[in-house]
């Protein structure tokens, strides 16, 4: 009798598992491959599934260079992601391409979003509809190698606070071999990294210009002030010789290897830089101009729901997105990735603002600008080409910036 009851219990358990498995909804979450981001998402998925045993989330990753193409191809085949991560600057392309659906206002009330998130969240809003929300936001700061500062007679507790001090520190650190080849950069120069943002939203403004007008639909950096900002940037290599475009391929790689005294990068780099063991590094705000004026660039990756998701998968996707934008998820993302929580109350705690690492980035959000790209990749390439024409081809900054402005204006006009 006991064996019969035991067998019946086991069969009942098997039956319940089968039923639960049959009723479970599986959704896919897509993001590009970046170790700390993948690790953070693994934790978030584990927590979400524990609280929602009827939903399974499969994380799918692709190399950054292939990511957008894979989403477009999958959507055309009717097999796109249920929830996807996308850079805010891709929004217009994704909406025009039918890749996203608006977030339901009952699940994501607009007044609540705009009162609780940092204002830059509105970059994900088109025609009165939100198409995604971020877990974290990012700004820029100056990372510096304390060991190289000390070795070159610089005070690691007093990093550069002005552009002039930045140049002076870079010149003190930069080293060359007997053949004149750079072996240590004073500061990385990487337009393909974050320097295009530094030039566009920081240097142009610090030299008295405005990069865009009409809600970022009219290019205006083709001005005497913008030209002076480009002359300053290209002069860091050509005149001051504190850095070299293409040195060790990427600026962040040179910094991680201890071969660069300073680099401008975002909060997203904190996770990978935390793995550095050969030297101590620190963070400070982006340098001000001679008049004390500071500027910064803020950005984020948002999470949106695929355009073709419906039924129980849509309900599961809405639940998952709600969790991804919760205070708990933002805290985990901060710990693992280093990016700042997108909700003001979660980010602006006394602990975070007084933190020597997070503090400079949070201060930067106070005076940051968010470029409203229509095609982020194409507009970034315009800036890269602009600098290369000066450094590699010997074109004058005035001619190169004029050419860049015309190219970028055409990109914007074609998208409208």
């Amino acid at each position: 009798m006991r064996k019969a009851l035991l067998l019946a219990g086991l069969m009942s358990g098997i039956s319940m598992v089968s039923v639960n498995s049959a009723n479970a909804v599986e959704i896919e979450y897509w993001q590009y491959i970046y170790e700390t981001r993948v690790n953070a998402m693994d934790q978030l998925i584990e927590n979400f599934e524990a609280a929602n045993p009827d939903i399974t989330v499969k994380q799918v990753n692709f190399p950054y260079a292939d990511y957008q193409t894979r989403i477009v191809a999958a959507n055309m085949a009717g097999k796109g992601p249920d929830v996807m991560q996308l850079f805010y600057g891709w929004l217009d392309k994704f909406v025009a391409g039918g890749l996203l659906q608006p977030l339901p206002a009952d699940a994501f009330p607009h007044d609540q979003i705009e009162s609780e998130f940092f204002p830059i969240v509105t970059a994900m809003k088109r025609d009165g509809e939100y198409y995604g929300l971020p877990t974290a936001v990012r700004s820029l700061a100056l990372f510096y190698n304390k060991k190289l500062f000390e070795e070159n007679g610089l005070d690691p507790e007093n990093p550069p606070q002005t552009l002039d001090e930045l140049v002076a520190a870079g010149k003190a650190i930069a080293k060359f071999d007997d053949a004149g080849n750079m072996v240590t950069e004073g500061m990385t120069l990487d337009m393909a990294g974050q320097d295009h943002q530094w030039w566009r939203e920081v240097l142009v403004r610090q030299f008295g210009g405005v990069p865009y007008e009409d809600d970022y639909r009219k290019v205006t950096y083709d001005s005497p002030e913008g030209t002076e900002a480009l002359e300053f940037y290209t002069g860091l290599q050509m005149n001051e010789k504190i850095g070299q475009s293409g040195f060790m391929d990427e600026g962040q790689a040179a910094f991680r290897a201890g071969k660069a005294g300073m680099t401008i990068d975002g909060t997203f780099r904190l996770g990978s830089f935390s793995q550095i063991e050969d030297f101590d590094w620190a963070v400070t705000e982006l340098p001000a101009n001679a008049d004390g004026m500071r500027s910064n660039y803020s950005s984020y990756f948002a999470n949106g729901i695929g355009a073709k998701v419906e039924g129980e998968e849509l309900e599961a996707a809405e639940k998952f997105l709600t969790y991804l934008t919760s205070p708990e998820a933002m805290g985990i993302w901060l710990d693992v990735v280093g990016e700042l929580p997108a909700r003001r109350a979660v980010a602006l705690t006394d602990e975070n603002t007084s933190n020597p690492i997070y503090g400079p980035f949070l201060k930067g959000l106070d005076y940051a600008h968010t470029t409203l790209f229509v095609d982020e990749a194409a507009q970034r390439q315009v800036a890269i080409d602009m600098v290369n024409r000066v450094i590699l081809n010997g074109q004058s900054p005035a001619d190169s910036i004029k050419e860049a402005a015309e190219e970028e204006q055409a990109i914007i006009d074609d998208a409208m």
Side-chain angles (χ1 to χ4, degrees), residues 73-130:
N75 187 69
M76 291 178 64
K79 299 179 180 179
D82 299 289
V83 183
M84 71 186 81
Q85 191 176 89
L86 70 149
F87 189 59
Y88 83 94
W90 303 342
L91 179 59
D92 287 314
K93 287 183 64 178
F94 275 42
V95 171
L99 304 179
L100 292 168
Q101 62 177 277
L103 302 183
D106 56 343
F108 304 95
H110 293 188
D111 57 346
Q112 183 177 335
I113 291 172
E114 289 161 13
S115 65
E116 296 181 6
F117 285 72
F118 282 106
I120 60 175
V121 72
T122 57
M124 288 301 293
K125 191 176 186 180
R126 294 291 186 276
D127 299 325
E129 301 279 5
Y130 276 96

Side-chain angles (χ1 to χ4, degrees), residues 244-295:
Q244 180 177 303
S245 179
F247 181 75
M248 294 189 67
D249 295 329
E250 293 182 321
Q252 60 91 15
F255 187 79
R256 288 189 63 172
K259 296 297 183 179
M262 298 174 286
T263 190
I264 289 176
D265 220 321
T267 42
F268 53 87
R269 201 67 68 186
L270 292 173
S272 58
F273 282 179
S274 67
Q275 300 171 18
I276 295 174
E277 298 179 352
D278 296 334
F279 61 89
D280 291 331
W281 54 269
V283 178
T284 190
E285 291 177 78
L286 294 184
N289 66 7
D291 297 324
M293 182 266 197
R294 295 184 190 271
S295 186

